């Protein structure tokens, strides 16, 4: 279903000598960290990712098209790798763009866009001997976009921009029945990344939990990272049942029953949502219409 490491020393010739240490990851709906301004310029200047305007013509992207940025910084503060998930056109499938940045005399600048990288991720990256090395979740034959069952290791030469992709390796077997089965929960696993109404959430089918990972700015007074949005059951058939929550700043979450399906890369849930008094935390009834009665989650899949 519906979701970089290093110690480096930049030599005058531009060669990086490094050992493999965990890189610092800055993650969010907008760029963050010291290269923030340079990343924003790349994404919006038209020299980076290209989106479409209201007439379907190619046009520079704006930050409103971005769904998530993952920026990996080396410990020496000289190199950065950026992975951005964005929507070229409102309502269309999401795309992945990757770029390399470098800090020269405290001025971060784009080195190059990086082509030839596919899949979901990465969750970690390392700078080693002049290279960036990372692993993406990969689409294997027969996979739905929701359920990438492979892994693929990539190496980027930081001097030339050449990308080397390793072979795709199956991460788990596909059940002969064709139905989803849930392997034991890996240590440290928090869930697969999905997007819901402008926020990034983590879906853990095994635990039956959906919680916010990167809430959109407009709801951060009411929810924060880790806030549970849904708790229930994901069946191997794709049926989903449980309790969702409506949030209001300063109030306890209001629970309500929802049910629906997890199919392909989408989870869709429906239920009669709580209706609150606009001037208090009181729940005055339920409604069969409105923003909270239909919850849709779109997975961060193969791009």
């Amino acid at each position: 279903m519906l979701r970089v490491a290093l110690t480096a020393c930049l030599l005058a010739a531009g060669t990086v000598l490094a050992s493999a240490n965990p890189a610092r990851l800055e993650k969010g709906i907008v760029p963050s960290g010291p290269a923030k301004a340079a990343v924003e310029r790349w994404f919006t200047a038209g020299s980076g990712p290209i989106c479409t305007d209201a007439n379907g013509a190619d046009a520079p992207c704006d930050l409103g098209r971005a769904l998530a940025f993952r920026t990996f910084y080396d410990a020496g503060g000289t190199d950065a790798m950026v992975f951005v998930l964005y929507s070229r056109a409102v309502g269309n499938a999401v795309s992945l763009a990757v770029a390399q940045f470098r800090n020269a005399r405290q001025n971060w600048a784009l080195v190059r866009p990086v082509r030839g990288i596919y899949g979901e991720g990465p969750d970690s990256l390392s700078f080693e001997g002049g290279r960036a090395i990372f692993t993406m979740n990969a689409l294997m034959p027969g996979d739905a976009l929701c359920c990438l069952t492979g892994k693929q290791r990539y190496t980027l030469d930081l001097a030339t921009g050449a990308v080397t992709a390793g072979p795709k390796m199956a991460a788990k077997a596909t059940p002969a029945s064709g139905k989803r089965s849930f392997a034991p929960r890996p240590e440290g696993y928090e869930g697969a990344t999905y997007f819901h109404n402008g926020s990034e959430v983590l879906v853990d089918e095994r635990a039956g939990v959906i919680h916010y990972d990167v809430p959109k700015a407009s709801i951060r007074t009411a929810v924060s990272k880790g806030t549970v949005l849904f708790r229930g059951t994901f069946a191997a058939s794709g049926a989903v049942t449980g309790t969702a929550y409506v949030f209001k700043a300063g109030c306890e979450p209001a629970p309500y029953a929802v049910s629906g399906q997890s199919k392909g890369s989408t989870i869709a849930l429906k239920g009669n949502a709580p209706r609150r008094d606009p001037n208090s935390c009181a729940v005055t009834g339920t409604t069969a219409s409105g923003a909270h009665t239909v919850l849709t989650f779109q997975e961060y899949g193969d791009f």
Side-chain angles (χ1 to χ4, degrees), residues 169-196:
M169 306 294 291
K172 61 183 180 180
T174 301
S177 66
K179 294 183 178 180
R180 296 174 302 134
S181 62
F182 306 136
R185 195 175 192 273
E187 182 179 356
Y189 179 81
E190 292 188 89
T193 302
Y194 279 68
F195 294 92
H196 166 65

Side-chain angles (χ1 to χ4, degrees), residues 140-189:
M140 301 295 284
D143 281 353
L145 291 184
C146 72
C147 314
L148 308 189
T149 64
K151 297 286 185 182
Q152 188 168 25
R153 187 175 177 86
Y154 288 89
T155 300
L156 167 70
D157 187 310
L158 296 173
T160 66
V163 173
T164 302
K168 291 184 179 181
M169 306 294 291
K172 61 183 180 180
T174 301
S177 66
K179 294 183 178 180
R180 296 174 302 134
S181 62
F182 306 136
R185 195 175 192 273
E187 182 179 356
Y189 179 81

Side-chain angles (χ1 to χ4, degrees), residues 31 35-50 60-63 66 68-71 81-86 95-101 108-115:
K36 177 180 185 297
V39 175
E40 289 183 352
R41 286 195 299 271
W42 161 71
F43 187 76
T44 61
S47 57
I50 297 297
C61 296
D62 57 66
L63 287 177
F69 284 87
R70 283 176 168 82
T71 306
M81 290 291 298
V82 176
F83 298 75
V84 58
L85 183 67
Y86 68 102
S95 300
L96 177 70
V98 183
Q100 176 190 352
F101 291 79
W108 284 93
L110 173 70
V111 177
R112 61 177 62 85
V114 180
R115 315 294 184 190

Side-chain angles (χ1 to χ4, degrees), residues 6-272:
L6 50 120
T7 299
C9 177
L10 181 66
L11 303 182
T15 302
V16 177
L17 300 178
S19 59
N21 295 302
R24 180 168 63 88
L25 169 59
E26 294 280 353
K27 179 180 175 183
I29 297 174
V30 295
S32 58
K36 177 180 185 297
V39 175
E40 289 183 352
R41 286 195 299 271
W42 161 71
F43 187 76
T44 61
S47 57
I50 297 297
C51 293
T52 58
D53 60 21
N55 298 317
D58 286 350
C61 296
D62 57 66
L63 287 177
R65 298 293 184 90
L67 300 172
F69 284 87
R70 283 176 168 82
T71 306
F72 297 93
Y73 291 97
D74 72 346
T78 54
D79 284 288
M81 290 291 298
V82 176
F83 298 75
V84 58
L85 183 67
Y86 68 102
S87 177
R88 294 191 69 248
V90 176
N92 280 13
V94 292
S95 300
L96 177 70
V98 183
Q100 176 190 352
F101 291 79
R102 181 163 294 155
N103 183 14
R105 300 182 181 88
Q106 303 306 309
N107 182 30
W108 284 93
L110 173 70
V111 177
R112 61 177 62 85
V114 180
R115 315 294 184 190
I117 296 172
Y118 307 97
E120 175 185 324
D123 294 320
S124 63
L125 179 149
S126 64
F127 290 101
E128 305 175 28
R131 301 170 299 165
I133 301 173
F134 52 93
T135 299
M136 305 288 285
N137 294 330
L139 189 72
M140 301 295 284
D143 281 353
L145 291 184
C146 72
C147 314
L148 308 189
T149 64
K151 297 286 185 182
Q152 188 168 25
R153 187 175 177 86
Y154 288 89
T155 300
L156 167 70
D157 187 310
L158 296 173
T160 66
V163 173
T164 302
K168 291 184 179 181
M169 306 294 291
K172 61 183 180 180
T174 301
S177 66
K179 294 183 178 180
R180 296 174 302 134
S181 62
F182 306 136
R185 195 175 192 273
E187 182 179 356
Y189 179 81
E190 292 188 89
T193 302
Y194 279 68
F195 294 92
H196 166 65
N197 196 25
S199 295
E200 186 172 345
V201 300
L202 294 177
V203 177
D204 186 344
E205 292 185 333
R206 300 165 183 85
V209 174
I210 301 174
H211 67 264
Y212 283 98
D213 191 35
V214 185
K216 64 182 179 181
S218 62
I219 66 172
R220 290 176 190 167
T221 58
V223 303
S224 59
K225 180 181 176 68
T227 298
V228 174
L229 173 58
F230 168 86
R231 194 182 301 276
T233 301
F234 290 80
S237 65
V240 184
T241 58
T243 301
Y245 299 89
V246 171
F247 303 95
K248 182 178 180 180
C251 303
E252 289 294 318
Y256 63 110
V258 293
S259 62
Q261 287 284 322
S262 173
K263 185 176 181 181
S265 58
T266 302
I267 301 170
L269 304 176
K270 295 182 179 180
N272 291 342

Side-chain angles (χ1 to χ4, degrees), residues 277-295:
D277 183 300
N279 301 313
S280 72
C281 294
V283 175
T284 60
T286 62
T287 178
S289 61
H292 301 296
T293 58
V294 178
L295 305 177

